[in-house]
């Protein structure tokens, strides 16, 4: 059997600045079709078009009723392939093709119901309910100020809401569709089916973009690219580097050497677990560098969070280079770069830097290492990396873990780092994690951890008053980590965790729960 060509069918997504653009791409890929995102005015998008089966225009914050707003490029309007415009993408299409868009007196934001009044391939067989006339109703998510008030020649009105007559429009012969609502968000109950219909029934894509096929494809690519050359990989125990390690091990076995720098700033037993999974269980060559002492010495006396971060980052690179230099025959350096990193650095070079989430990864390695870069996850979103991890049979707790910052516990101990603080924090954090898992709450929050506060607060233990340290618990719910709400964990649960921490850990007299949202507070305490 020949392997599926996972790139045979591609969708071009033009980004008009919507917060949901990456979500559109993730949904398209979940459905099994490869796609790439480009800024609406990028030249690379035009170069990509001949290979595309279809085009999706995202939403965006602008109004086509203003002057000098983003437009649909000429080459898209002339393209032979199907087009799906979403929200702003639809409005831009309609106004450029001769229709009309006007500011709406009533902003529509949130749930809405569209009434289908024409047959259309995107909605065949879909129905969330019916009105008195027997027409199908669909629950959708809207977020718009402007609306279409007149449609171009050749277009039909497919669906309406009480406040937007043209909620869905289409030129069915030319396969151009416009949706005022967002099919990519889960609140649109049949969003996945609508996108699937566009991809499969309109664009004739096949669903070959699956975890199994991606792994097979990558293994072949790496084997062809490398032949008998050797690769070094910095393994951190995080999702991305773990998946790269498992993938490369499958592709090239012993030609891969991983370097795992144990900073001493990891969670309880984490270093041992990394070694168990990769070295003992899978037989991957892993060099573990026990660098706790070096990190503690370098951090001694440092209080400023950014100074701590910098010190850790620099030392990490220095240690990695020392170890890498010992592996004489290596010519490649593998990295866990993923697609959002690629999009963000592209935005940085095109000046759309305000869209960028600043990420502060430790382990960014120097450019002057004389090694070629191997980035097998460059095309993948985080959820795709996780699916690969599952397909590669990596432990669930490693692949579906909350994010952990590069500088580790150092940004969860306020001020100076001492080994005693790290040990107390590790024990407290472990109790919190155990109970979150036991109560089925771990997967219901996006990130949870304990923070060590080096202040002494009074407690009465036995007969005496004791002044001991404070632990703060933090748990948040978020989609993108840019904004977050504190998780409303049950009081009984918090009570249990607090009692366990104070009773079981020597040195803690008080536990607090952080009820700050982001903004204004950040998720981490430093
Ligand atoms: P903040 O604290 O900025 O965190 O709200 C947002 C997300 O970023 C993570 N974070 C870091 N990750 N190095 C990292 O690799 C860091 O220095 C760092 N600081 C924050 C944080 O855990 C959260 O997921």
């Amino acid at each position: 059997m020949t392997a599926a060509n996972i790139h045979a069918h591609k969708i071009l997504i033009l980004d008009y600045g919507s917060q949901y653009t990456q979500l559109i791409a993730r949904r398209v890929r979940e459905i099994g079709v490869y796609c790439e995102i480009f800024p609406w005015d990028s030249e690379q998008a035009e170069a990509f078009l001949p290979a595309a089966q279809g085009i999706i225009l995202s939403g965006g914050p602008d109004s086509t009723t203003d002057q000098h707003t983003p437009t649909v490029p000429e080459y898209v309007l002339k393209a032979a392939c199907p087009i799906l415009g979403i929200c702003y993408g639809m409005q831009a299409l309609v106004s450029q093709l001769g229709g009309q868009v006007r500011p709406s007196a009533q902003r529509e934001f949130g749930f809405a119901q569209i009434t289908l009044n024409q047959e259309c391939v995107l909605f065949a067989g879909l129905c969330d309910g019916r009105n008195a006339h027997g027409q199908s109703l669909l629950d959708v998510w809207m977020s718009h100020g402007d609306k279409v008030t007149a449609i171009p020649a050749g277009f039909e009105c497919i669906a309406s809401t009480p406040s937007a007559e043209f909620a869905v429009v289409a030129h069915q012969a030319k396969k151009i569709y416009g949706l005022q609502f967002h099919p990519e968000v889960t609140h649109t109950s049949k969003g996945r089916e609508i996108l699937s219909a566009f991809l499969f029934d309109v664009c004739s894509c096949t669903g070959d973009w699956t975890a199994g096929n991606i792994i097979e494809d990558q293994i072949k690519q790496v084997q062809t690219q490398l032949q008998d050359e050797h690769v070094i990989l910095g393994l951190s125990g995080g999702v991305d580097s773990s998946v790269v390690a498992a993938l490369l091990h499958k592709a090239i076995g012993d030609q891969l050497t991983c370097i795992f720098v144990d900073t001493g700033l990891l969670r309880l037993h984490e270093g041992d677990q990394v070694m168990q999974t990769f070295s003992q269980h899978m037989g991957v060559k892993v060099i573990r560098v026990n660098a706790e002492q070096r990190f503690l010495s370098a951090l001694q006396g440092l209080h400023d969070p950014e100074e701590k971060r910098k010190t850790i980052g620099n030392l990490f690179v220095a240690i990695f280079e020392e170890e890498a230099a010992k592996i004489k025959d290596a010519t490649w350096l593998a990295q866990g770069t993923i697609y959002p990193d690629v999009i963000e650095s592209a935005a940085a070079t095109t000046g759309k830097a305000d869209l960028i989430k600043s990420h502060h990864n430790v382990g960014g390695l120097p450019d002057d290492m004389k090694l070629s870069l191997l980035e097998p996850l460059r095309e993948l979103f985080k959820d795709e990396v996780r699916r690969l991890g599952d397909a590669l049979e990596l432990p669930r707790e490693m692949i579906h873990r909350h994010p952990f910052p590069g500088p580790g516990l150092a940004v969860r101990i306020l001020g100076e780092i001492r080994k005693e603080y790290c040990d107390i924090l590790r024990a407290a954090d472990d109790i919190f994690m155990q109970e979150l898992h036991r109560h089925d709450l771990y997967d219901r929050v996006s990130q949870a951890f304990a923070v060590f506060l080096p202040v002494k607060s009074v407690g009465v233990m036995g007969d005496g008053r004791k002044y001991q340290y404070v632990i703060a618990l933090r748990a948040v719910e978020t989609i993108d980590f840019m904004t977050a709400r504190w998780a409303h964990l049950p009081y009984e649960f918090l009570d249990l965790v607090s009692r366990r921490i104070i009773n079981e850990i020597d040195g803690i007299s008080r536990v607090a729960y952080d009820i700050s949202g982001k903004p204004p507070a950040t998720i981490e305490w430093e």
Side-chain angles (χ1 to χ4, degrees):
M1 207 179 76
T2 54
N5 176 1
I6 55 174
H7 296 105
H9 292 150
K10 303 176 181 181
I11 295 292
L12 165 64
I13 299 178
L14 285 192
D15 182 16
Y16 288 89
S18 162
Q19 56 173 328
Y20 298 132
T21 308
Q22 288 200 19
L23 200 51
I24 302 174
R26 282 166 49 196
R27 294 282 173 261
V28 168
R29 298 213 192 165
E30 262 168 34
I31 293 169
V33 179
Y34 180 69
C35 60
E36 285 191 32
I37 300 175
F38 296 93
W40 65 274
D41 53 352
S42 107
E43 284 168 16
Q44 286 146 304
E46 186 169 2
F48 183 87
L49 181 67
Q53 297 282 115
I55 304 169
I56 298 180
L57 313 176
S58 84
D62 293 285
S63 166
T64 57
T65 60
D66 293 339
Q67 282 183 339
H68 311 302
T69 51
T71 52
V72 182
E74 264 317 293
Y75 70 85
V76 170
L77 297 175
K78 287 188 191 139
C81 63
I83 305 173
L84 177 69
I86 296 173
C87 200
Y88 181 85
M90 168 213 208
Q91 294 164 6
L93 264 177
V94 165
S95 61
Q96 282 176 246
L97 292 174
Q100 202 172 52
V101 176
R102 288 275 173 266
S104 174
Q106 242 178 313
R107 280 183 62 84
E108 246 183 325
F109 183 79
F111 276 111
Q113 257 193 337
I114 56 166
T115 305
L116 293 175
N117 37 38
Q118 273 292 335
E119 292 216 344
C120 173
V121 59
L122 295 189
F123 305 98
L126 301 184
C127 180
D128 287 324
R130 289 194 185 278
N131 67 9
H133 308 290
Q135 289 170 300
S136 295
L137 303 172
L138 287 177
D139 297 329
V140 301
W141 182 258
M142 294 276 196
S143 168
H144 65 111
D146 295 352
K147 63 179 181 185
V148 173
T149 49
I151 52 179
F155 275 71
E156 295 169 274
C157 174
I158 305 292
S160 313
T161 71
S163 62
E165 183 186 350
F166 301 105
V168 178
V169 300
H171 190 307
Q172 307 221 53
K174 287 193 178 163
K175 300 188 179 178
I176 302 177
Y177 304 87
L179 309 178
Q180 185 55 74
F181 65 87
H182 290 272
E184 68 276 20
V185 304
T186 47
H187 308 292
T188 294
S189 73
K190 300 287 189 291
R192 187 187 167 96
E193 287 83 348
I194 296 167
L195 287 172
S196 297
F198 178 71
L199 298 170
F200 297 134
D201 302 330
V202 179
C203 300
S204 308
C205 294
T206 49
D208 288 327
W209 183 259
T210 62
N213 286 345
I214 298 169
I215 291 171
E216 214 177 299
D217 178 83
Q218 273 304 327
I219 289 177
K220 281 218 179 82
Q221 249 191 59
V222 169
Q223 285 170 342
T224 318
Q225 210 170 357
L226 261 52
Q227 299 185 11
D228 55 3
E229 290 172 280
H230 284 250
V231 183
I232 304 175
L233 166 71
L235 181 62
S236 69
V239 181
D240 304 336
S241 68
S242 296
V243 171
V244 175
L247 190 67
L248 292 182
H249 181 66
K250 223 173 159 163
I252 54 168
D254 267 1
Q255 285 162 252
L256 168 72
T257 305
C258 298
I259 299 174
F260 168 46
V261 179
D262 186 344
T263 58
L265 302 167
L266 301 176
R267 286 161 291 194
L268 196 67
H269 307 313
E270 200 171 358
D272 296 339
Q273 281 158 3
V274 169
M275 293 309 288
Q276 237 163 38
T277 302
F278 289 100
S279 182
Q280 277 108 289
H281 186 63
M282 293 169 59
V284 179
K285 251 198 277 172
V286 187
I287 298 171
R288 177 178 186 168
V289 189
N290 291 319
E292 179 183 40
Q293 211 39 58
R294 283 178 74 177
F295 278 91
L296 288 176
S297 308
L299 287 165
Q300 205 173 3
L302 298 188
H303 291 262
D304 177 67
E306 288 315 306
E307 229 180 296
K308 283 161 57 177
R309 276 192 171 84
K310 249 184 254 155
T311 304
I312 294 170
N314 292 340
L315 183 55
F316 183 93
V317 171
I319 294 176
F320 188 89
E321 283 186 305
E322 282 167 25
E323 291 303 318
K326 294 181 196 161
I327 307 170
K328 294 283 179 236
D329 52 356
T331 44
W332 291 83
L333 176 69
Q335 284 195 331
T337 315
I338 65 172
Y339 189 46
D341 304 333
V342 177
I343 301 174
E344 284 174 12
S345 38
T349 53
T350 55
K352 295 192 169 67
D354 52 332
L355 301 174
I356 296 172
K357 172 182 166 195
S358 71
H359 58 166
H360 5 228
N361 273 327
V362 165
L365 294 168
D367 302 333
D368 57 358
M369 291 187 84
K370 303 265 173 298
L371 300 168
S372 315
L373 261 193
L374 189 64
E375 299 178 316
L377 310 181
R378 235 186 120 74
E379 287 189 333
L380 306 181
F381 285 109
K382 195 81 176 186
D383 41 357
E384 294 176 303
V385 175
R386 291 209 165 94
R387 279 196 286 276
L388 251 58
D390 289 334
L392 288 161
E393 295 179 347
L394 284 168
R396 193 181 186 285
E397 57 279 13
M398 179 173 268
I399 294 306
H400 294 272
R401 209 152 52 173
H402 297 161
F404 185 64
L409 300 184
V411 290
R412 295 178 177 173
I413 292 169
L414 300 198
E416 191 182 6
I417 309 299
R418 295 192 193 157
K419 172 140 171 68
E420 175 204 359
Y421 298 170
C422 294
D423 289 338
I424 291 177
L425 177 56
R426 265 190 277 270
D429 190 74
D430 187 54
I431 290 175
F432 191 22
M433 293 308 115
Q434 281 177 22
E435 295 301 337
L436 281 167
H437 282 295
R438 198 168 293 158
H439 290 81
D440 269 340
L441 290 166
Y442 187 85
D443 291 327
R444 307 242 294 267
V445 298
S446 314
Q447 196 171 10
F449 51 90
V451 180
F452 181 89
L453 310 187
V455 289
K456 294 224 171 168
S457 161
V458 70
V460 185
M461 290 180 194
D463 295 332
R465 288 161 78 82
K466 264 192 171 174
Y467 287 84
Q468 293 189 316
Y469 296 115
V470 180
I471 285 288
L473 302 177
R474 179 82 161 135
V476 294
E477 292 165 8
T478 172
I479 293 182
D480 55 8
F481 296 89
M482 307 281 278
T483 61
R485 107 180 182 134
W486 59 273
H488 294 199
L489 293 174
Y491 284 172
E492 299 70 32
F493 170 82
L494 291 170
D495 179 50
L496 171 73
V497 175
S498 155
R499 273 187 290 119
R500 276 199 63 193
I501 289 177
I502 294 173
N503 290 337
E504 293 175 31
I505 304 173
D506 202 17
I508 300 294
S509 62
R510 202 170 286 268
V511 173
Y513 188 54
D514 182 349
I515 54 167
S516 338
K518 175 182 179 177
T522 53
I523 296 174
E524 301 290 346
W525 273 48
E526 272 198 343

